[in-house]
Structures are given as C-alpha cells and as structure tokens.
Amino acid sequence: MASRTSRDVLVRGLAVLGRAIREQPRIFAVAVSGSVLFGAMTVASAYVVGAVVGDVVVPAIERGEVGVGGLALAAVALFGISVLRVAGIFGRRLGAGYMQYRLQAAYRRRVTRRYLELPLSWHHRNATGTLLSNANSDVEAAWYPIAPLPFAVGTLVMLVGAVASLFATDWALALVGVAVFPALFALNVAYSRRMAPRQARAQRLRAEVSGIAHESFDGALVVKTMGREAQETDRFAARAGELRDSLVAVGRLRGVFDPLLEALPSLGTLAVLVVGAIRLQQGAISVAELISVAFLFTVLAFPVRAIGWVLAELPRSVAGWDRVRRVLDATGEMAYGDTALDVTDRPATLAFAGVRFGYEPAEAHLPGTEVLGEVSFTVPAGKTVALVGPTGSGKSTIAALAVRLVDPLAGTVCVDGVDVRRLTAASLAGTAALVAQVPFVFDDTVRANVTLDRPGIGDDDVWAALRLAEADGFVAALPDGLDTRVGERGTSLSGGQRQRLTLARALAGRPRLLVLDDATSAVDPRVEAAILAGLRSSAGQAGAPAASILVVAYRRATIALADEVVYLEQGRVLARGPHTELLATVPGYADLVTAYEQAEVDHAKDETYDEVAPLTSGLEIEVDR
C-alpha cells in the first residue's frame, strides 16, 4: 500500500509539474538553460581545479618555483567559469521565481473566477474558510516545487555529464558514482512516501483553521453577545494545535532525512578518495584526475539536493493541487444565453410560469428539499407586487430566481417575455437589480459603494439615488460626505443606514426591475413607506428609475402600497389580489398581516433608543429610527 501511495504521489506530482511546464514553456526554458549552464560549469570547474593542481601546483612544488604564466592561465580559467556559473544562477533563479509567481497569480485568478461562476447552492455546501484556503495556501502549495524544479532538471543533465566524465576517467571511480547517485534517489523516494500523508493532513488542517478563524471573526456579534469568547478561543486553539502538531511531524521527518541526504555525497567523496588512492598507486589515474573526481563529488552535493527538494515537496504540491482542482472541476455553473434586451427606459415585465425549485441534498443518498411548487404570477410593467407569506414559504427564493441567482427545476422566469436563461449576463445585470435582506457594504467610500465603478454614474446620479433611498440626509452629515470610508462591512453605519446605502447602489444603476428582499427591515416603518412611495411616485422622472418592483414585505403600510399582493404558503401561491381584498377573503393572510402589525406595535413600545452607531468593528447595535 505504501509503495502504491508513493508511486501515485510521484506520478501525480510529475503530472502537476508537467502542467506547469506546458503553461509556462518559455520561462521554464530560460530557467532550465541557466541551470544547465550552471551544471556544466560545475562539472567543468572540477576538471579545471584538477588540472590546476595536477599540472600547475604539483609541478611548481616539485620545481620549487611558481610559473606566473601557468597561474595566470589558471586564474583566467577559474574566473571565466565562475562568471558563467553566476550567469547560470541568475537565469535559473529569475526564471524559476518568475514562473512560480506567475502560476500562483494565474491560478488565484482562475479559482476566484470559478467561485463567481458557480451557483449559490455550491457555495452553501462549502465553508468560506475552505474557499479562502483554496485560493491562497492551496494554490501556493500546488506550485511550490516550481522554484527548485529548473535546478533539479539542470542537475539531472549535470549528473549525466558527471557520470560520463567518471567513466571516461576511470571505471572504478565511475562505479562509486553509480552506487552513490541511486542511493540518493532511493532515499528521496522513501522520504516522499512518508511525507505524502503528513503534507496532505497539514493542508487540510490549514483550511480548517482558516475556516474556524473566519467563522469566529465574522460572527463576532454572536460570540460577544452570547459570551462565547472563551469557547471560540478554545475551539480555534484546539484545531491550531492539531496543525502545529502536524507541521511538527513534517519537520521531524525532515530532521531525520535531511542529515542522511547531506551525508551521502560526503560518504561518496570519502569512497572516491579511498578507491582513488588505490587506483593512483596502481598508476591507473593521475593526481589531477583524482583531485577532479573528488572535487566533483564535493560540488555535486548541493545541486543533487535540488532533486530531493522537488521530490520532498511533491506530496504537498499534490495535496494543494487536489484541493484547487476540486474548485476548478466543480460543475453547476449557470451558462448565460446570447439574447440582449432592448435598451429602453420602460419598466420591465417579470413573469413566473409554473416555477418549481428545490435545494440539493447535503449528501447524495438523501432526498432534496422542495421550496417552490408550480409558482405563477406576473409583475406588470411599472407596477409594484408584494410577496407576503410566513417564514419558509419561499419568498427569498423567488427573489433569487427573479434575478437568476439560481435556476428553476421546472417552469420559466421571464423578463419582457424572454426566459432569463437566454439573456446575456450584461443584459440581465443592466435590467434587474436585487437588494438583499442582509446588506453588504464594501470597506470603501460611500461614493464607491454606490457607483461600484460603473461607467456613467456621476455624483449627481449618486445623490439622486441617495435621495430616493432616504439616505441623503445621513450621508450629508458624515465627516467627508461621499468620500467618507464606511469601514469593513459598513461597521461605521447602523443597520438601517447600510440597507439604504445598498438600495441607493441598486437605484444608481437605473434598473427596469427592482427586487427588494425585505431590504428595508432595519429602517423605521415611516422611512420604509416613504422610500417605496418615492419609488412609485418618481418613476420616470429625471434621475429616477422607471422600474417595476417586486418587494418581499411584512409591514401593513408597505403591503398597502403594492398594486397586487401574492400570498404564499409552503412554496405555493394561495391567493393573489389587492391587499384589501385578500385581507377580507383569505383568513391566513389576514392572520399573518395582523400578527406582523401587532409585532410592530410591540416593538415600537419596547423601542427606547434612537439610532446608535456601532461601538466596535465587531459589535453592532442596529437600531435605525
């Protein structure tokens, strides 16, 4: 089993290196050329040193005088070889480093691009910390052997030249080399076999540590309010301790094998001296040849280690590549069509026809969960439709389907009569905008958060969007206005301010279809009613979007503003019509709206604080009046 694992790691590791070479052939050729030059000069230096000692130094000692011409020639030869070796080192290191960093940058981009292509359902099945690890430490690990790879390839060329030189010099000395070099390879293979499982476990634990850290930091509000600081610290410390022990195991194994890998070439040099002395006494070789071979073994000790470095890092490379490839090979991305809607200022029409949707099971053998069944309704152009229903009835799923964050299992979702699956990504993004339940704000200025670097959105457009979102007042009061940085996730703003800022972001793009998924839940009901009333009354005016609105609503005042209400229960449309009509004819709807209204009244009675900004970057008090 261990042998098969070792061979598997070696084969897969070489396949990863082969991929790297195919992707960066020119840079690899430069690096290998530098390494081959270095190796050739290393072999040449051994014979030059031998020639200098045997033909210049020894005769000078025997004569009792030093020949200036011979020494000058020797110095020139050694200097020339040294210059060429330096050039080889420069080419090798520059090429290897450039190749490694280019691959890491390219695959970070590929992994990130793949994240953006994959559907939300895939992201729901994968922890954020693991995804961060895939794009960072796993990519680095996959291409880590690239740095010593050109050196190792050049060393192989050098070893072939060295063995050929040994056989040309003396067969007995050549046998010593033939014995030492395979022993080095065998030791490296044994090292790789034992290192593979340790490196794989270390990579997995890196991802888990990253995941726990991200979860704890992202959930700082829950951790602090629930008094779980010590438990979270202990949870992180336990997994960090496992990673530490795993890395110690890796280091311990290196501590065992590194001295052996270092000692073998030295033992080879000692064997060469012993055998060489015997052959010298027999007259089979000269002093210069003995010195050349001994020196050759001495200078080969370091380059031969490069092969060991590559083999030693292959397990880590394979572990990292497997994790990266899991992302790159993931399926389920939504392919966009090639249809573009006409560019117009008219509100769009949204139509659901027989839509069914369900979430995939966490495990293949488990049944899936149906969320929507045969949902059909229409948001006419320029109208406002409210989605109302108890928790879990599928309202947010309908909002996601409307802007094609997910695709239905059956039925169609159409915008202006065109199935959203046939639309181009640009056309869909330019037509529909979603403001989600949980507002996301970038660690940037107010202006940057509203414009998102979209062309054609100037400051006048930003202020117009902020006014429609009832956000212009608090933005104008900020220290630097539009240039105020709002902190990570908008921590300098309250929950309601963040919601209004993200609403302004959507409005700034002048969408023809606006989907609000409980997007104003953190603001005062009066402010929410003013926002929706403003959107309806200003539609088509200068600086205001002419948009149809699909809104997930809870408050009676908000629902009453809608032209039509779609009432959902358990993923199905039970009733449609004006709010007053449903209130009188659908008991479930009346009970739900009344319950929402009573909850608002109770909340208003208990509310004693005005809008309070966050106290810390991790703890937020989200009361928005």
Side-chain angles (χ1 to χ4, degrees):
M1 175 65 73
S3 178
R4 287 199 301 272
T5 301
S6 177
R7 286 195 299 269
D8 180 60
V9 169
L10 180 61
V11 171
R12 292 163 62 202
L14 292 178
V16 174
L17 298 182
R19 174 184 289 269
I21 295 170
R22 289 192 300 274
E23 293 197 14
Q24 303 288 336
R26 294 182 180 179
I27 301 175
F28 182 72
V30 170
V32 169
S33 297
S35 182
V36 170
L37 178 61
F38 171 81
M41 291 304 101
T42 298
V43 175
S45 66
Y47 285 91
V48 169
V49 168
V52 169
V53 174
D55 300 335
V56 178
V57 176
V58 173
I61 294 175
E62 292 176 348
R63 293 194 308 268
E65 61 180 359
V66 178
V68 178
L71 285 179
L73 183 61
V76 169
L78 291 173
F79 178 77
I81 287 176
S82 297
V83 169
L84 291 175
R85 288 183 68 186
V86 169
I89 293 173
F90 179 79
R92 182 194 79 221
R93 290 189 175 180
L94 181 64
Y98 196 58
M99 180 179 176
Q100 182 182 36
Y101 298 138
R102 277 177 65 94
L103 284 167
Q104 289 176 351
Y107 273 84
R108 283 193 181 99
R109 290 193 295 268
R110 292 184 191 182
V111 168
T112 303
R113 170 58 62 183
R114 193 62 182 150
Y115 286 161
L116 298 177
E117 292 171 345
L118 290 166
L120 289 178
S121 57
W122 185 87
H123 286 272
H124 292 160
R125 297 193 301 271
N126 293 272
T128 303
T130 299
L131 302 185
L132 292 173
S133 180
N134 292 152
N136 187 28
S137 63
D138 290 333
V139 168
E140 288 185 357
W143 305 120
Y144 199 81
I146 297 301
L149 178 62
F151 196 8
V153 174
T155 298
L156 288 174
V157 175
M158 182 179 64
L159 288 178
V160 172
V163 171
S165 299
L166 288 176
F167 275 104
T169 301
D170 183 69
W171 64 267
L173 296 178
L175 290 179
V176 175
V178 170
V180 170
F181 296 145
L184 278 172
F185 282 108
L187 190 60
N188 274 300
V189 169
Y191 176 48
S192 176
R193 183 175 65 225
R194 288 165 175 77
M195 182 62 76
R198 291 171 172 82
Q199 290 284 19
R201 183 170 186 268
Q203 283 301 115
R204 176 178 58 80
L205 287 172
R206 282 188 178 97
E208 293 180 6
V209 167
S210 176
I212 292 175
H214 179 274
E215 191 174 55
S216 297
F217 302 154
D218 207 37
L221 178 63
V222 175
V223 171
K224 285 183 173 294
T225 56
M226 301 300 292
R228 301 293 297 175
E229 295 94 334
Q231 289 80 1
E232 284 298 302
T233 300
D234 291 343
R235 185 165 73 105
F236 180 82
R239 197 53 51 89
E242 290 184 40
L243 177 59
R244 175 205 60 207
D245 295 341
S246 179
L247 293 175
V248 167
V250 169
R252 186 180 294 116
L253 187 63
R254 283 179 174 167
V256 171
F257 276 88
D258 278 359
L260 296 177
L261 293 171
E262 194 74 43
L264 266 179
S266 300
L267 293 174
T269 302
L270 181 61
V272 162
L273 291 174
V274 173
V275 175
I278 297 173
R279 298 293 288 169
L280 183 63
Q281 289 180 349
Q282 295 174 348
I285 59 174
S286 64
V287 173
E289 290 172 329
L290 176 59
I291 292 174
S292 295
V293 173
F295 186 76
L296 181 62
F297 267 79
T298 301
V299 297
L300 281 179
F302 175 71
V304 167
R305 292 296 309 278
I307 300 173
W309 295 333
V310 173
L311 293 176
E313 294 300 335
L314 282 185
R316 180 182 176 188
S317 175
V318 169
W321 174 248
D322 285 346
R323 295 172 64 84
V324 170
R325 191 178 61 181
R326 185 184 66 86
V327 176
L328 298 180
D329 293 346
T331 58
E333 72 276 13
M334 295 184 292
Y336 287 92
D338 54 7
T339 302
L341 297 174
D342 294 335
V343 178
T344 176
D345 291 333
R346 296 194 309 273
T349 298
L350 173 68
F352 278 63
V355 171
R356 294 179 56 250
F357 180 82
Y359 289 106
E360 297 178 6
E363 299 180 22
H365 65 280
L366 297 177
T369 303
E370 184 179 84
V371 179
L372 299 177
E374 300 296 331
V375 170
S376 299
F377 69 91
T378 301
V379 180
K383 300 299 184 179
T384 298
V385 172
L387 289 176
V388 180
T391 301
S393 59
K395 302 182 297 295
S396 292
T397 301
I398 289 177
L401 286 162
V403 294
R404 209 192 167 203
L405 293 180
V406 292
D407 280 336
L409 299 179
T412 59
V413 179
C414 295
V415 174
D416 284 348
V418 180
D419 191 325
V420 293
R421 288 170 289 197
R422 293 170 48 202
L423 294 176
T424 64
S427 182
L428 182 59
T431 301
L434 169 69
V435 185
Q437 287 178 308
V438 180
F440 182 86
V441 180
F442 294 93
D443 183 9
D444 209 329
T445 64
V446 172
R447 178 187 291 104
N449 268 286
V450 174
T451 65
L452 293 183
D453 291 329
R454 289 172 289 183
I457 302 178
D459 282 2
D460 290 342
D461 301 304
V462 172
W463 282 113
L466 290 171
R467 280 192 295 273
L468 279 173
E470 296 286 328
D472 56 321
F474 80 79
V475 171
L478 293 174
D480 297 314
L482 294 179
D483 294 314
T484 303
R485 297 189 70 91
V486 297
E488 183 179 3
R489 292 180 177 267
T491 52
S492 65
L493 306 176
S494 70
Q497 288 174 337
R498 288 199 299 272
Q499 283 193 332
R500 284 179 276 171
L501 190 61
T502 55
L503 175 58
R505 173 194 298 161
L507 295 174
R510 300 180 63 82
R512 298 194 298 119
L513 172 64
L514 185 61
V515 181
L516 306 178
D517 183 10
D518 195 21
T520 52
S521 59
V523 302
D524 187 280
R526 290 167 296 178
V527 176
E528 180 185 41
I531 291 172
L532 292 177
L535 290 175
R536 286 171 55 91
S537 63
S538 62
Q541 298 179 12
S548 308
I549 301 173
L550 176 65
V551 55
V552 175
Y554 293 91
R555 294 165 175 165
R556 182 191 288 257
T558 304
I559 298 170
L561 289 172
D563 297 292
E564 184 181 45
V565 175
V566 175
Y567 177 58
L568 299 166
E569 277 191 12
Q570 298 182 350
R572 285 170 170 78
V573 177
L574 292 192
R576 292 172 53 188
H579 165 64
T580 53
E581 179 182 316
L582 296 188
L583 202 60
T585 60
V586 183
Y589 176 79
D591 292 342
L592 184 66
V593 173
T594 302
Y596 286 154
E597 189 173 31
Q598 185 59 46
E600 287 293 331
V601 172
D602 294 341
H603 178 73
K605 290 180 179 179
D606 294 338
E607 185 60 73
T608 58
Y609 296 102
D610 292 328
E611 181 176 2
V612 180
L615 300 179
T616 70
S617 61
L619 178 61
E620 303 170 5
I621 300 178
E622 299 186 355
V623 181
D624 194 284
R625 299 299 301 269

